[in-house]
Amino acid sequence: MKKSFTSHSPSSDHYYIGPREMKLPKFEFEYPPSCYGLVVSSTKNSNKTELISDSSSESLLPPLIYFKIKEKKLQKEQDEKCVLVGNTLHQMPKKIIKPKISYQPDIFPLKALKKKIVKQKFNGIYFEDERYSSDPEFQLNYANLRTYYNSINLSNNLYVQPMINSYKAYIGKGNNGQLVQWILKRRWWWSIVDKEKEQVNFLWQQLRNNSYIELIPESNQEILQQQVNNQEQNLIIQEIQYYNLLPNQLSFQLQKMRKKIGKNSKIISFDQALKFSQTLRLFEVNGNSKLHNHIQNNTHLGSKKNLFYNMKRYYEQQGLNVFDFLPQTYHIKNKEDLQNFVQQNQNQSIWIVKPAELTNRGHGIHIFQTINEVQQYLRSIHHHKNGAQKTFIVQKYIENPLLYNQRKFDIRCYILFTSVNGQHKGYWYKDGYIRTSSQEFSLMNLSNKLIHLTNDAVQKYSEDYGRFEKGNKVSFEEFNNFLPIDFYQTIYIQMRNIALDQFKATYGKLDPNRKENSFELFGLDFMIDDKFKVWLIETNTNPCLECSGPLLTKLIPQLIEDLFKLVLDPLYPPPQFYNSKKFIYDSFENKFELIFDSSMLDVPLKFTQNLIDEQ
């Protein structure tokens, strides 16, 4: 008789296994979808099986194997909860495991999440265009060049944007115009033309061209007013090679900028320049842009009579006596002026008479022993070449001049007036020279101009010209070695201060309409008496640029080069270039020094307005 066993089958609820069949049949069990997760459960008192829920993966096994695996797991869990004491296993007491309480979230610290910021070193590239050389030396030199031009223009509240790649210039003949041409030709972006001078970008002539000046537009820019810090004014910023050309405030801003890295340490774009001035003017240079080497009303310094009147008025405003800086001077316009001069000077003195206008280089100068001789000469009517009646300046002759090896001398210095974007600036040139006469000084022979006049135009006709000094010229260094005092601490400072007074005295009269771009180079003549007192003799427009002697062969070209580096190159910069051979100078050093700026507040505005109103 067959004994039945309850089983589970895909096709029926039961299947039978014989009593001698010890192994299960070899087939894969497949539960119907409705039976997934249900296992067979049997009871002791019943041969029936029941389906119970079990979510473990072992529930898919056949019942006998399932029960055996489950039984082993239970036994293992009980053994782990017991401890062996002797030969007996004792169940361990239940332990309550309390969860760990943390008052801080168990997360990574913020520092671990942040990436380490590594400052990248500057690679030396300022201009990323492929046409530019990647050579760091070229990149640095080119960035420094652009920064120099932009810094000079910033001092005039200007940013220059060239719209053309080349410019035209006309250089007039005379006064060593060939030297000026040679220096300009070194600038490869300039071409020199022989005609149509009114169409050029730059006009250089001996005399002022009024029609060309009329073509230069008047500036509508307001004159900048900068606060001057007296403490900063005494500091010298030597880290910037051209600090002497810039106002103190701008120099300090540039010094702060230089401490930065890469492009931020240079001024090579308009946006960078705007950080220095929010009212910056963008000036587009084109074929109609013009620059002249003369300014309107330059005779207010270049004319002997105007120089006297302007200086006299200025020193009176300052509570000073003009004759502490200029020799005693009279302007004789008519017989009445001559009569007043004679009445005021009955004492015996030596007088020098000069045309009051339209002369230079020693022309028309006479020296007289007595007042009667002066009166006799001025009674007659004199005319200029253009037919205009002459007026005369009569000055007391300096009878006790300081002598250089028993010979008379004077000192030639230079100042530069610039009007760029309506901003007026005055510069002092640090170098100059001493002009000596060819014969020993004596008051016994006043008619010999070779003794009393040191102008090259006079001395070059002497047989002894160049006999004692080459070209009758002495440098400042040689003169300092000759003197028993320090030339730079005494005489030089006095000359520089008088030059500054000239700018202040004529502020508002020079370039009254504030033309956009013009400049004027003046030559100043000083004399020194035997007490080392400095006297201003005259100021000349169109100073002599002839290279007479080895000293001037070096000084004059350097003077013109420094002038162009300061005025011409920043306004008319070269177009973008990509070759190191295009650099025309290796240094930005310049012997011009800014001593007067229209933005300075120490110029009396009331006094300035009076000068502007006077004609």
Side-chain angles (χ1 to χ4, degrees):
M1 184 177 179
K2 292 184 180 181
K3 193 175 181 180
S4 64
F5 292 89
T6 304
S7 63
H8 192 283
S9 162
S11 58
S12 63
D13 294 336
H14 301 86
Y15 69 91
Y16 297 93
I17 299 177
R20 294 184 180 179
E21 294 180 5
M22 302 300 297
K23 296 182 180 180
L24 295 172
K26 295 181 179 180
F27 61 88
E28 293 182 0
F29 242 80
E30 293 184 3
Y31 292 97
S34 60
C35 298
Y36 284 170
L38 301 178
V39 297
V40 180
S41 176
S42 62
T43 59
K44 294 182 180 180
N45 302 325
S46 174
N47 292 331
K48 293 183 179 180
T49 60
E50 297 178 355
L51 296 176
I52 61 173
S53 173
D54 191 349
S55 61
S56 65
S57 60
E58 296 170 356
S59 63
L60 301 179
L61 296 174
L64 294 179
I65 297 176
Y66 172 81
F67 287 128
K68 285 184 179 182
I69 293 174
K70 192 172 183 180
E71 215 172 56
K72 288 181 178 180
K73 281 187 176 182
L74 292 173
Q75 186 64 35
K76 187 177 180 181
E77 289 176 2
Q78 289 179 359
D79 292 344
E80 289 176 353
K81 295 179 182 180
C82 297
V83 61
L84 181 64
V85 180
N87 295 327
T88 310
L89 287 173
H90 295 274
Q91 192 170 2
M92 295 179 62
K94 294 181 179 180
K95 292 183 179 180
I96 300 174
I97 301 175
K98 295 182 180 180
K100 294 181 179 180
I101 300 175
S102 175
Y103 295 97
Q104 295 181 353
D106 189 12
I107 60 173
F108 289 100
L110 188 60
K111 292 182 180 180
L113 294 176
K114 286 185 177 180
K115 294 182 179 179
K116 292 184 178 179
I117 301 175
V118 180
K119 291 184 179 180
Q120 296 182 354
K121 293 184 178 179
F122 178 60
N123 59 2
I125 302 299
Y126 295 93
F127 306 93
E128 298 177 355
D129 194 311
E130 294 180 354
R131 293 173 293 179
Y132 290 104
S133 170
S134 58
D135 177 27
E137 183 178 358
F138 170 83
Q139 289 271 336
L140 179 61
N141 291 337
Y142 194 62
N144 287 337
L145 179 68
R146 294 298 178 185
T147 300
Y148 167 72
Y149 291 153
N150 291 331
S151 299
I152 299 299
N153 290 328
L154 268 172
S155 68
N156 294 306
N157 203 34
L158 198 68
Y159 183 86
V160 171
Q161 180 66 52
M163 306 303 293
I164 54 178
N165 292 328
S166 62
Y167 314 106
K168 295 180 181 180
Y170 179 92
I171 307 299
K173 296 180 180 180
N175 197 14
N176 211 354
Q178 292 181 345
L179 175 63
V180 178
Q181 282 193 26
W182 178 79
I183 294 175
L184 186 61
K185 283 181 178 179
R186 293 182 62 244
R187 288 151 172 80
W188 45 267
W189 59 97
W190 280 94
S191 60
I192 299 175
V193 299
D194 297 329
K195 54 185 179 179
E196 296 181 351
K197 63 176 67 176
E198 294 186 355
Q199 304 299 323
V200 298
N201 299 106
F202 177 41
L203 177 63
W204 177 286
Q205 286 185 323
Q206 290 195 73
L207 301 177
R208 183 180 67 212
N209 189 317
N210 291 325
S211 61
Y212 187 84
I213 287 183
E214 290 298 324
L215 298 175
I216 302 175
E218 298 177 5
S219 174
N220 56 5
Q221 294 288 307
E222 295 183 0
I223 297 177
L224 294 177
Q225 294 294 328
Q226 299 179 0
Q227 297 291 336
V228 178
N229 188 327
N230 293 328
Q231 294 181 350
E232 292 182 353
Q233 208 169 17
N234 297 326
L235 298 176
I236 298 178
I237 308 171
Q238 295 184 346
E239 292 183 12
I240 302 174
Q241 203 174 40
Y242 43 90
Y243 74 94
N244 53 298
L245 305 176
L246 304 174
N248 284 335
Q249 184 177 355
L250 179 59
S251 296
F252 276 97
Q253 289 177 313
L254 290 175
Q255 182 161 328
K256 293 179 181 179
M257 179 196 70
R258 285 167 59 90
K259 296 179 181 180
K260 299 179 182 180
I261 300 175
K263 295 180 181 179
N264 294 329
S265 64
K266 310 295 180 184
I267 309 176
I268 56 180
S269 68
F270 179 65
D271 291 337
Q272 288 176 307
L274 275 176
K275 296 178 182 178
F276 293 85
S277 174
Q278 295 299 321
T279 60
L280 192 66
R281 178 194 173 194
L282 180 62
F283 180 60
E284 295 182 346
V285 179
N286 52 44
N288 295 323
S289 303
K290 300 186 182 303
L291 174 68
H292 192 21
N293 68 316
H294 294 291
I295 60 175
Q296 284 184 322
N297 290 7
N298 56 359
T299 56
H300 278 281
L301 279 181
S303 166
K304 296 174 179 60
K305 66 177 181 181
N306 289 341
L307 173 67
F308 166 65
Y309 284 125
N310 287 320
M311 299 299 285
K312 181 176 182 295
R313 188 177 296 107
Y314 171 74
Y315 284 126
E316 287 176 352
Q317 291 285 337
Q318 303 299 314
L320 301 173
N321 185 359
V322 63
F323 298 133
D324 289 335
F325 306 92
L326 278 72
Q328 189 173 350
T329 304
Y330 297 89
H331 181 212
I332 309 300
K333 304 184 291 298
N334 47 46
K335 292 182 179 180
E336 184 180 353
D337 292 334
L338 179 59
Q339 185 176 357
N340 292 334
F341 164 70
V342 173
Q343 291 177 354
Q344 295 175 18
N345 296 277
Q346 295 296 325
N347 297 330
Q348 187 73 10
S349 297
I350 300 175
W351 297 90
I352 185 167
V353 179
K354 310 173 185 179
E357 58 275 312
L358 300 177
T359 57
N360 58 6
R361 300 179 183 176
H363 296 297
I365 296 179
H366 300 274
I367 302 174
F368 299 102
Q369 184 77 45
T370 65
I371 289 289
N372 292 333
E373 292 178 358
V374 175
Q375 188 176 12
Q376 184 178 356
Y377 175 76
L378 295 180
R379 277 177 179 173
S380 58
I381 299 175
H382 302 269
H383 294 86
H384 293 287
K385 291 181 179 180
N386 61 3
Q389 184 175 341
K390 288 184 179 180
T391 65
F392 291 91
I393 287 291
V394 180
Q395 282 186 330
K396 190 177 185 307
Y397 188 82
I398 299 176
E399 301 180 22
N400 61 329
L402 182 67
L403 302 179
Y404 186 81
N405 294 329
Q406 304 303 315
R407 288 172 286 117
K408 187 179 177 180
F409 70 89
D410 68 356
I411 303 178
R412 166 54 62 91
C413 300
Y414 299 96
I415 59 175
L416 173 67
F417 178 90
T418 64
S419 176
V420 179
N421 194 34
Q423 310 300 314
H424 290 173
K425 287 182 170 53
Y427 299 86
W428 163 263
Y429 197 66
K430 296 180 181 179
D431 207 355
Y433 57 93
I434 282 79
R435 303 184 298 188
T436 62
S437 61
S438 300
Q439 298 183 15
E440 289 188 1
F441 178 74
S442 173
L443 294 176
M444 303 304 295
N445 186 1
L446 298 179
S447 62
N448 189 347
K449 291 185 177 181
L450 297 177
I451 296 176
H452 301 283
L453 302 182
T454 59
N455 308 66
D456 267 343
V458 175
Q459 293 294 326
K460 66 182 181 180
Y461 296 107
S462 172
E463 294 180 356
D464 293 327
Y465 181 70
R467 175 184 174 187
F468 304 103
E469 297 88 25
K470 294 181 179 180
N472 281 34
K473 305 297 184 298
V474 178
S475 68
F476 282 176
E477 288 74 15
E478 292 178 289
F479 187 58
N480 185 40
N481 295 331
F482 168 80
L483 292 175
I485 61 173
D486 191 325
F487 165 74
Y488 294 100
Q489 296 298 323
T490 54
I491 297 172
Y492 182 88
I493 291 178
Q494 293 181 63
M495 295 190 299
R496 184 181 180 276
N497 290 338
I498 293 176
L500 174 59
D501 291 339
Q502 290 188 73
F503 288 126
K504 292 181 178 180
T506 55
Y507 179 49
K509 283 195 168 184
L510 295 178
D511 187 42
N513 295 325
R514 297 170 59 221
K515 292 291 185 175
E516 280 192 345
N517 302 318
S518 59
F519 67 92
E520 185 90 34
L521 180 68
F522 295 95
L524 278 58
D525 295 336
F526 295 96
M527 283 193 64
I528 317 297
D529 63 22
D530 55 6
K531 296 180 181 179
F532 305 106
K533 171 71 175 175
V534 175
W535 299 95
L536 173 64
I537 303 302
E538 62 185 24
T539 300
N540 301 283
T541 61
N542 188 37
C544 180
L545 300 177
E546 299 292 338
C547 298
S548 55
L551 177 62
L552 297 193
T553 302
K554 180 180 178 181
L555 189 151
I556 297 299
Q558 185 64 53
L559 169 69
I560 301 173
E561 176 69 21
D562 287 346
L563 189 152
F564 283 178
K565 284 168 65 175
L566 173 58
V567 182
L568 185 67
D569 295 343
L571 284 175
Y572 296 91
Q576 293 181 348
F577 60 89
Y578 314 98
N579 190 336
S580 59
K581 294 181 180 179
K582 297 287 188 177
F583 290 111
I584 61 170
Y585 36 78
D586 301 326
S587 172
F588 303 113
E589 290 183 355
N590 200 308
K591 290 186 178 180
F592 279 106
E593 176 188 5
L594 179 65
I595 61 173
F596 173 80
D597 191 345
S598 59
S599 65
M600 295 189 302
L601 297 179
D602 60 343
V603 178
L605 297 179
K606 182 179 179 180
F607 173 60
T608 300
Q609 188 61 45
N610 290 337
L611 284 178
I612 295 174
D613 292 340
E614 293 178 0
Q615 299 295 333

